[in-house]
């Protein structure tokens, strides 16, 4: 390999790593993927990835070694871009593209605008908030107002994408506004459960998936990235919780205390219907490709109903293990059949199982001694659920070994 060829391959590996990190790929999967790509390209490479830093060590020959260190921001999930990048790497490996063409295509993928546009994404935010309230088994009033708060939250997200100052205070600001508006809504409709509609409104920010990925990285012995991701998730949770407490104080000062009038709960079918509705909204929020969307929706259904069946016989916390096991096997089979990253189905299924909302409720119980739902031993339950998800994914990879690294 001459020097010019090495430089081109080095440039591609570094840009590929940064792109996949930007699209939300977990560190242990990204390091393994880059290792495989560099081996196929004939370069010996070593990689150390964390949510905020990337280190590339690439060897040209025994005497020449190249180090590249980059400071990066934590990536956001973009499952469509992840799938397109995986296809690009396959095309490069099979000789359908040259390195130069692959670099140009990688640039196109990274700069591609949201395929669903503003209006559909707005609808998805409102729908996801309403569907979460349905999953909680509350009332139709809560579902409606949760959806309205979800629409408001997307307005803040839309603004934050165009303003650095807004982006820095997005999560606590969203929590403050949701909590304040919830008290205003309660003046109009006393049957709303204020804590539930606040939680549903900000559910898109609750870092349950980030905590699960961080624990999965720790289980894979990726200690630096796992620790960083878990701590980042906890800090986000604290910011959201402070925003809610401040917003509730402002709401009480502006609108006063409200007498809660318990409404009729939604029927059982409403809770079941919430799963495909929420999964459909997540397809848009995670920017998955249309051709992959049925698989993602089915992943959510597989995860929820497997966990529900397991919970009937083994208890709720252990039932989550069977949900994670089922969706892990399903996503590995999806990757084999469709020749696409398993993450596309896996993440959309796991997000239905993660106890992000319970972590928030547990934090509320710990600090204020108040419970949003009547649940005892919540801290132990949260810990068991997280461990059940991680264990389920490990067992799934043993039962059906993944053939793809992403």
């Amino acid at each position: 390999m001459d020097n010019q060829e090495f430089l081109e391959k080095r440039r591609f590996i570094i840009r590929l790593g940064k792109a996949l990190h930007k699209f939300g790929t977990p560190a242990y999967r990204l390091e393994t993927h880059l290792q495989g790509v560099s081996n196929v390209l004939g370069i010996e490479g070593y990689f150390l990835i964390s949510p905020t830093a990337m280190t590339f060590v690439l060897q040209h020959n025994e005497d020449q070694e190249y180090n590249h260190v980059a400071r990066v921001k934590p990536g956001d999930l973009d499952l469509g871009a992840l799938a397109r990048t995986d296809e690009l790497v396959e095309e490069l490996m099979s000789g359908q593209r040259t390195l130069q063409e692959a670099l140009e295509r990688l640039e196109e993928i990274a700069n591609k605008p949201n395929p669903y546009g503003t209006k559909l994404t707005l609808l998805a935010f409102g729908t996801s908030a309403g569907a979460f309230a349905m999953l909680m088994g509350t009332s139709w009033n809560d579902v409606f107002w949760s959806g309205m708060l979800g629409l408001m939250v997307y307005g803040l997200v839309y603004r934050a994408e165009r303003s650095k100052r807004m982006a820095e205070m997005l999560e606590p600001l969203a929590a403050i506004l949701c909590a304040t508006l919830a008290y205003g809504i309660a003046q109009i409709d006393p049957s709303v459960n204020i804590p539930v509609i606040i939680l549903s409104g900000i559910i898109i920010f609750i870092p349950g998936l980030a905590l699960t990925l961080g624990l999965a990285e720790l289980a894979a012995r990726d200690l630096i990235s796992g620790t960083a991701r878990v701590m980042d998730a906890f800090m986000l949770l604290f910011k959201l919780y402070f925003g809610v407490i401040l917003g509730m104080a402002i709401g009480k000062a502006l609108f006063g205390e409200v007498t809660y009038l318990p409404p009729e709960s939604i029927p059982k079918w409403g809770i079941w219907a919430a799963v495909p509705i929420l999964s459909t909204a997540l397809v848009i929020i995670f920017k998955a490709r249309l051709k992959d969307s049925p698989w993602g929706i089915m992943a959510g259904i597989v995860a929820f109903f497997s966990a529900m069946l397991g919970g009937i016989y083994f208890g709720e916390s252990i039932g989550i293990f069977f949900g994670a096991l089922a969706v892990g096997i399903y996503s590995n089979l999806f990757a084999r059949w469709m020749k696409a990253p398993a993450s596309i189905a896996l993440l959309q299924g796991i997000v239905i199982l993660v106890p992000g909302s319970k972590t928030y409720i547990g934090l509320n119980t710990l600090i204020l001694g108040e419970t949003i739902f009547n649940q005892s031993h919540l801290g132990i339950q949260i810990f068991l659920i997280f461990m059940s998800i991680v264990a389920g994914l490990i067992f799934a990879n043993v039962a059906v070994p993944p053939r793809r690294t992403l």
Side-chain angles (χ1 to χ4, degrees):
M1 184 191 309
D2 61 33
N3 200 51
Q4 185 59 37
E5 186 183 359
F6 171 75
L7 291 175
E8 282 189 8
K9 289 180 178 179
R10 182 191 75 188
R11 189 181 305 117
F12 175 75
I13 291 169
I14 291 171
R15 288 194 186 174
L16 175 66
K18 289 180 178 178
L20 289 173
H21 184 279
K22 179 184 174 184
F23 305 148
T25 311
Y28 66 99
R29 286 183 180 271
L30 180 51
E31 289 175 358
T32 306
H33 186 68
L34 290 176
Q35 194 84 53
V37 171
S38 61
N39 288 342
V40 171
L41 291 176
I43 295 176
E44 192 171 353
Y46 306 93
F47 308 94
L48 180 62
I49 311 295
S50 77
T52 56
M54 305 181 74
T55 302
F56 301 79
V57 180
L58 301 169
Q59 277 191 317
H60 184 194
N61 51 49
E62 289 183 2
D63 302 321
Q64 200 172 2
E65 190 174 82
Y66 178 84
N67 297 325
H68 180 89
V69 180
R71 176 74 166 82
V72 291
K73 292 182 179 180
D76 294 320
L77 273 181
D78 187 336
L79 297 181
L82 181 66
R84 293 183 191 97
T85 305
D86 185 64
E87 282 183 354
L88 167 64
V89 172
E90 289 294 317
E91 289 169 2
L92 176 66
M93 298 304 144
S94 62
Q96 296 175 44
R97 286 184 187 269
T98 64
L99 267 174
Q100 188 56 42
E101 289 171 346
L103 282 166
E104 290 170 4
R105 174 61 179 152
L106 197 57
E107 197 70 26
E108 284 176 26
I109 294 169
N111 296 322
K112 188 179 176 65
N114 186 340
Y116 293 104
T118 304
K119 291 179 183 177
L120 266 180
T121 309
L122 171 68
L123 180 63
F125 266 73
T127 303
S128 63
F132 177 77
M134 289 171 69
L135 269 179
M136 293 292 99
T138 57
S139 66
W140 291 116
N141 305 56
D142 291 344
V143 172
F144 173 76
W145 290 114
S146 296
M148 292 298 103
L149 290 179
L151 296 177
M152 184 274 295
V153 165
Y154 178 68
L156 298 176
V157 171
Y158 181 82
R159 183 77 184 102
E161 289 172 351
R162 289 152 181 81
S163 168
K164 187 177 179 182
R165 289 171 64 187
M166 175 65 84
E168 289 174 353
M169 60 177 183
L170 172 62
E171 294 89 356
L173 179 63
I176 290 168
L177 290 178
C178 280
T180 305
L181 288 173
Y183 273 84
I185 290 166
Q187 294 292 331
I188 304 167
D189 183 358
S191 65
V192 298
N193 187 325
I194 291 175
V196 169
I197 67 169
I198 294 171
L199 178 58
S200 300
I202 60 171
I203 192 63
I204 201 69
F205 297 126
I206 298 290
L209 184 59
L211 279 168
T212 305
L213 290 176
L215 291 171
E217 287 176 339
L218 289 171
R221 303 290 177 87
D222 207 321
L223 304 181
I224 295 174
S225 180
T227 304
R229 198 180 294 273
V230 167
M231 292 310 299
D232 182 53
F234 273 117
M235 284 309 301
L236 176 55
L237 196 63
F238 292 148
K239 287 193 288 184
L240 287 169
Y241 187 73
F242 171 77
V244 169
I245 295 297
L246 179 57
M248 289 175 75
I250 295 170
K252 284 179 185 177
L254 291 176
F255 304 107
E257 291 285 354
V258 180
T259 303
Y260 176 56
L261 302 175
E264 186 180 346
S265 297
I266 63 174
K268 197 75 173 176
W269 64 261
I271 299 174
W272 294 348
V275 179
I277 294 171
L278 180 56
S279 295
T280 303
L282 290 174
V283 165
I284 298 171
I285 293 169
F286 290 164
K287 303 172 190 173
R289 297 180 301 179
L290 272 177
K291 73 175 186 178
D292 296 326
S293 59
W295 299 96
I297 294 167
M298 183 56 68
I301 294 169
V302 167
F304 180 81
F305 287 102
S306 299
M308 189 179 75
L309 287 172
I312 292 171
Y313 296 102
F314 301 99
E316 182 186 351
S317 301
I318 303 301
I320 297 291
F321 166 80
F322 292 98
L325 177 67
V327 80
I329 291 172
Y330 169 85
S331 60
N332 286 344
L333 290 174
F334 159 78
R336 291 186 181 194
W337 294 332
M338 301 301 292
K339 293 182 169 52
S343 303
I344 292 172
L346 180 66
L347 295 178
Q348 291 182 78
I350 288 298
V351 79
I352 301 292
L353 301 175
V354 293
S357 58
K358 289 190 176 182
T359 310
Y360 171 90
I361 295 165
L363 185 63
N364 185 72
T365 306
L366 176 67
I367 294 174
L368 296 183
E370 299 173 357
T371 54
I372 296 175
F373 300 106
N374 186 23
Q375 294 178 323
S376 59
H377 307 296
L378 199 59
I380 297 171
Q381 193 179 24
I382 293 165
F383 178 76
L384 266 176
I385 289 173
F386 275 124
M387 291 301 101
S388 293
I389 292 173
V390 173
L393 296 179
I394 292 171
F395 277 80
N397 287 337
V398 172
V400 181
R403 291 182 179 174
R404 306 177 78 86
T405 50
L406 289 181

